[in-house]
Amino acid sequence: MLRKWMVYTALLALIVLGYAVRSWLQGEESFPVVSADAMDYGSGDGDGILFYADRLRKAEESGILPYTGPPVAIEPIAYSVASAEAAVRTGYDADLNEEVLHWTNGTGWVEWTVEIPADALYELELTYMPTKRDSSSSVFYALSIDGEIPFSEANGIELLKRWRDKDVPYRKDALGNEIRSMQVETVGWLTAPATNYAVSSVPLRLPLTKGVHTLRFAAQNEPMSWGPIRLTAPEAIPAYAEYLERAGTSEQAGAPERADAPPAIETWYTLLEGERYEQKSHPSVQTGTINEPNVSPDGEGRLLYNVLDGQRWKRAGEWAEWTFEVPSAGWYEIDVKYYQGFVGKANAFRTVLIDGKTPFEELLHYPFPYNSKLEMHTLGSRAGEPYRFYLDKGEHTLRLVTDISPLNPVVLSMQEAIRKLYGIEQKLRKLTGDYGTNTGDANRTWDIMSYFPDLEAQLAGLRDQLKLSMDYLNGLNGQTNDTTESLKIGVAILDGLLEEINQIPNRLGKFPDLQMRIGTWMDKMANGGMSADYIVVRSPSAVHPYKETSTLSKVPYTIINFARTFYLNYNARDLNDKDAIEIWVGRGRDYASLLQEMIDQSFTPQTGIAVNVNFMPDANALTLSNAGGDQPDVALGLVQDMPVDYAMREASVDLTQFANFKEVAERFHPGVMRSFGYKNGVYALPETQSYHLLFYRKSMMKELELEAPDTWEDLQRILPTLQENGMQFYYNAKDFVPFFYQNDVEFYSPDGMKAAFDTEAAYTSFSLWTELFGKYDLPQEVPAFFQHFKLGTMPIGVSDFNTYVQLLTSAPEILGDWEIAPMPGTVQEDGSVARWAMNTMTSAMILNKSDKKEQAWRFIDWWTSTDVQLEYGNAIESFYGPEYRWNTANMKAMAAMPWPAEHIAAIKEQNRWNRNVPFLPGGYLLAREMEFAFNRTIVQKIPAKDSLDTSFVAMAREMARKQQDLGIRNGQQLDFPVVDQPYDWGEAPK
């Protein structure tokens, strides 16, 4: 027994020693710094426009230097020409005391003529005022010079708004938990240079030649008023050593003569809570909560927003700003207590500005090293020397900006690597004829170099490109991390392919795998999250009392928190107002909390009706509650078939009984209201909707010389070209509805009692649907269109709103290379193209057992109104970012959401053509029978008419059986609204 214990001890000691040696070796390992100029950016974006880094590099190589003269002023009212779409007018502004340009509709373009005094690099400074008050989005404009985009990033110059929390300190709910504040835009004129912290830590620089030029701004999303436009000399930012020499000299009013003079109060410090910022750049920059010892402040068992949340302060250009006051002029140091472990063992970068300027160049993309918990960090050099800041007596601002520009060279290089990988893969597929399985023919041998002579050189170049990117990142972070380990796997994959070059035709699956690996890395690294607990500004000799978490401090902290669970009440329903209406929400807790906040701020004060909002994690709870007599008055977030299902059992309320129902119903598309009708009643209102859109990769379609299809006939014409190049078109094989409705086929008879898809038009519709997958060979099963779209194997397809949001937020490697359009349609007799399709929705329903039906209806009326839907959508997006875009079913509110200008036209056009399938007794069998009919035709090769007739008979039988079960007699009417005209956007009431 003793010997066994000794063996275990020795093994444990060896393991500990091994980790210690590895840690020591890693600590001793150094990583050389790789120049960004060594990276391969390729030939530009999908339209062949150079990226900013490449354009700037070429300008500098040509000897073009930063401009040093006085600002070149451009009067906003002196524009030379404006497009017909741009609604512009001039007017006097009292705040600026000059004439300004009001661009009131946020569409079209305006052009100015300017004379440039010298060949140089200029910064672009704008004075502007956003004028759309119900939008959480920044304002975006595209810039072109002399008719050309100067660099790819100029396609979307972001002009920020200013935001703050409405309620400070935060309000609390009945349990004592903090309620995250609504966001308020600070209205007024702003002056800022054009910047993009994804590509540069300093303002963007325009290479311009001496002479007359035209500057054109094209609006992309929102209206804005324009003050003075200036082309200015880039400001030279000194190095820290030079800053020390300059600062504190007698040139500064009231400053001491000696640069090393200490502040008057040597023990002074002030605490800036991270969550108590003065203002911020985006409403999505949000507070969060951390529970651990020495966090400031401590929630003490309740939800307290006590940090600036790194999950919501992570995108390039997002900043927060704090205000503080120092007691005397002199030198100060800055500590930041932060956590950043969101992107593996890599640095998070922040550019530091004090009073609107970066004091010295070391504070551009300042690195905050990886850590695993909240730690105190003094801003300083890599050698550990604290930086000192000279501050005059009085008030100052400190701004920290998320800056991922150091990663830009690798991002561009990896975009180019993906493009090269895709090109190699497509050429190999053409040579081998393998467009699907990726496994090749194991019994066939290849001399692939005979067919593809430079394959080895191209793969070796890609491998070296990945190695260079890996070395660049290691040098940037001073250590290896998850990203470089991922790239190392990519290098190993390419090495394996190079070792057995003739086996590559049997290993084509490696190419999409590697592309996906690189794309995943780019998606992750596009975010530079860092949480901030607090910031301390102090005199260099001051010692503050704030501490970090230690392992020992966690033990009593955990015990105390556990003890609190015995006496703190965590059940919100125990505190509900017994006279209030009960709302159950089938969404996440944050959605329910925001709704309660808006009710308390708006609905209850306006109506006097108290409301209790409760989170409903499972819709089945509603069924059980209804049976048990503990049901709510209103249920939100329900799947669209549930209200009619309840109506068939007399468990939901017919909303047509309320006086203003018709007025309220007009907020929505008549075609989606068909989902909630039954026996001449309407049993719910829609909340959100997901709709069809056509997605396509611009560069790939351009390369193939193809246009986005407007009709199904157009699609049939482009499919051979796509498939000859190893590509496919995506369409959900189970979505049969558009083909029938676009040919004016209803699935049920007008009285709603029988199936009706036994007509010639129905057979034609069914044939069109099935031929796409039989005759034209569209793939029937596609687990992840989003991934295929990014990789380029499916550069075009019809998908839904969720794909749109994914592309907006999770596809940085194809940013600017995708576009949307309405889905293909069917040409009508009058020459128009019908795009009828079914939207999927969530709904709001009143329960029949409610004894507060009138109050419940007033709530639904308020909740579905345009203003409330806009406010809710902007708030939820401001909390969590564009990935939480609220896809409201209120048509006017949907059109007013912050869509990119190039997308809103397609979204509005598609949403004119909503026509949902009514839910009728036995109607649940429709989708199943259509799938059976599809399989009989595609798999068993049964003629389309015979297959559809079989499903028609089964459907008719099931509807008759279900009508008998529900006691519905012949002669009764289950009719539904006929919708045969597209929506008129000019008639969307509030």
Side-chain angles (χ1 to χ4, degrees), residues 521-590:
W521 168 82
M522 292 174 64
D523 186 23
K524 186 176 181 181
M525 292 302 291
N527 298 322
M530 184 183 90
S531 296
D533 185 8
Y534 52 75
I535 301 166
V536 178
V537 181
R538 58 177 175 81
S539 58
S541 58
V543 178
H544 56 73
Y546 309 112
K547 301 177 182 178
E548 298 177 353
T549 300
S550 66
T551 303
L552 288 177
S553 66
K554 288 183 178 180
V555 176
Y557 185 84
T558 303
I559 293 173
I560 292 171
N561 269 346
F562 176 70
R564 288 189 178 112
T565 63
F566 291 97
Y567 63 85
L568 290 179
N569 185 2
Y570 295 94
N571 189 353
R573 293 194 68 186
D574 291 344
L575 303 175
N576 280 351
D577 185 338
K578 304 303 180 185
D579 296 323
I581 59 173
E582 290 285 330
I583 310 292
W584 286 10
V585 180
R587 297 187 179 90
R589 191 175 302 278
D590 288 311

Side-chain angles (χ1 to χ4, degrees), residues 136 163-167 170 180-185 277 280 282-287 874-875 878-879:
S136 61
W163 298 86
R164 60 180 175 82
D165 289 338
K166 180 180 179 181
D167 301 313
Y170 289 176
R180 187 179 277 119
S181 172
M182 303 291 286
Q183 305 299 293
V184 178
E185 181 187 352
Y277 39 76
K280 56 188 179 179
H282 298 75
S284 55
V285 176
Q286 283 290 335
T287 56
N874 285 327
S878 73
F879 289 160

Side-chain angles (χ1 to χ4, degrees), residues 202-220:
V202 296
L204 298 174
R205 298 178 177 182
L206 302 175
L208 296 172
T209 57
K210 182 178 180 179
V212 177
H213 295 271
T214 58
L215 270 64
R216 175 182 292 184
F217 286 92
Q220 293 188 319

Side-chain angles (χ1 to χ4, degrees), residues 119-428:
D119 294 358
L121 297 171
Y122 296 79
E123 290 182 359
L124 176 66
E125 182 184 84
L126 300 175
T127 297
Y128 63 96
M129 181 169 63
T131 55
K132 188 175 182 180
R133 296 289 168 251
D134 55 2
S135 169
S136 61
S137 173
S138 300
V139 186
F140 288 88
Y141 282 84
L143 170 66
S144 59
I145 299 174
D146 299 329
E148 296 183 356
I149 303 294
F151 43 83
S152 179
E153 293 82 357
N155 270 311
I157 292 177
E158 182 179 17
L159 301 177
L160 299 175
K161 300 175 183 178
R162 302 291 185 268
W163 298 86
R164 60 180 175 82
D165 289 338
K166 180 180 179 181
D167 301 313
V168 179
Y170 289 176
R171 298 173 60 204
K172 294 184 178 181
D173 64 16
L175 294 175
N177 298 314
E178 282 193 336
I179 301 170
R180 187 179 277 119
S181 172
M182 303 291 286
Q183 305 299 293
V184 178
E185 181 187 352
T186 302
V187 178
W189 287 98
L190 303 167
T191 299
T195 58
N196 185 338
Y197 283 93
V199 301
S200 174
S201 299
V202 296
L204 298 174
R205 298 178 177 182
L206 302 175
L208 296 172
T209 57
K210 182 178 180 179
V212 177
H213 295 271
T214 58
L215 270 64
R216 175 182 292 184
F217 286 92
Q220 293 188 319
N221 64 336
E222 292 187 7
M224 188 176 81
S225 293
W226 292 65
I229 306 167
R230 302 198 310 165
L231 295 168
T232 63
E235 184 175 355
I237 302 175
Y240 179 58
E242 185 181 353
Y243 168 80
L244 288 178
E245 293 177 4
R246 290 183 185 178
T249 65
S250 57
E251 294 177 2
Q252 300 183 45
E257 292 292 333
R258 289 172 49 83
D260 58 352
I265 304 175
E266 297 186 5
T267 59
W268 178 88
Y269 63 85
T270 186
L271 179 73
L272 311 177
E273 289 286 0
E275 70 279 6
R276 291 291 177 258
Y277 39 76
E278 185 72 20
Q279 61 176 351
K280 56 188 179 179
S281 59
H282 298 75
S284 55
V285 176
Q286 283 290 335
T287 56
T289 183
I290 291 181
N291 292 315
E292 65 175 49
N294 300 316
V295 68
S296 175
D298 187 356
E300 298 182 348
R302 293 303 186 193
L303 176 65
L304 199 69
Y305 294 106
N306 53 11
V307 297
L308 182 59
D309 191 354
Q311 295 281 34
R312 295 163 188 173
W313 180 37
K314 61 185 181 181
R315 294 184 178 87
E318 292 180 339
W319 56 258
E321 187 173 87
W322 297 262
T323 301
F324 63 96
E325 190 170 335
V326 298
S328 61
W331 294 98
Y332 295 87
E333 294 177 3
I334 298 177
D335 304 324
V336 180
K337 188 178 181 184
Y338 77 96
Y339 161 74
Q340 74 90 355
F342 301 105
V343 290
K345 296 181 178 180
N347 295 332
F349 297 95
R350 296 292 184 272
T351 286
V352 182
L353 294 88
I354 296 178
D355 299 330
K357 295 184 178 181
T358 300
F360 43 89
E361 62 184 16
E362 286 82 353
L363 294 180
L364 297 172
H365 51 263
Y366 179 86
F368 284 86
Y370 161 82
N371 59 16
S372 57
K373 61 183 179 67
L374 286 172
E375 291 180 336
M376 194 73 72
H377 173 82
T378 301
L379 297 185
S381 66
R382 284 197 172 189
E385 176 192 0
Y387 291 142
R388 294 192 173 187
F389 302 86
Y390 189 87
L391 302 174
D392 289 327
K393 178 181 178 180
E395 188 174 88
H396 297 272
T397 61
L398 171 66
R399 179 182 296 180
L400 298 181
V401 187
T402 304
D403 188 342
I404 63 172
S405 62
L407 299 172
N408 188 53
V410 179
V411 170
L412 296 181
S413 180
M414 291 301 96
Q415 285 180 346
E416 179 65 9
I418 289 176
R419 189 191 66 79
K420 289 178 179 177
L421 279 167
Y422 181 76
I424 294 171
E425 180 193 1
Q426 291 308 304
K427 187 169 182 178
L428 287 168

Side-chain angles (χ1 to χ4, degrees), residues 36 54 109 127 226 241 338 374 579 604 673 689 734 842 868 940 982-983:
D54 225 0
W109 53 263
T127 297
W226 292 65
Y338 77 96
L374 286 172
D579 296 323
T604 298
M673 292 298 293
Q689 58 184 350
K734 295 183 179 180
T842 60
V868 173
Q940 301 176 29
Y983 186 76

Side-chain angles (χ1 to χ4, degrees), residues 705-722:
E705 299 182 350
L706 298 176
E707 297 288 336
D710 190 49
T711 66
W712 297 112
E713 288 76 11
D714 293 341
L715 172 61
Q716 292 167 1
R717 281 192 289 270
I718 72 170
L719 280 175
T721 303
L722 283 172

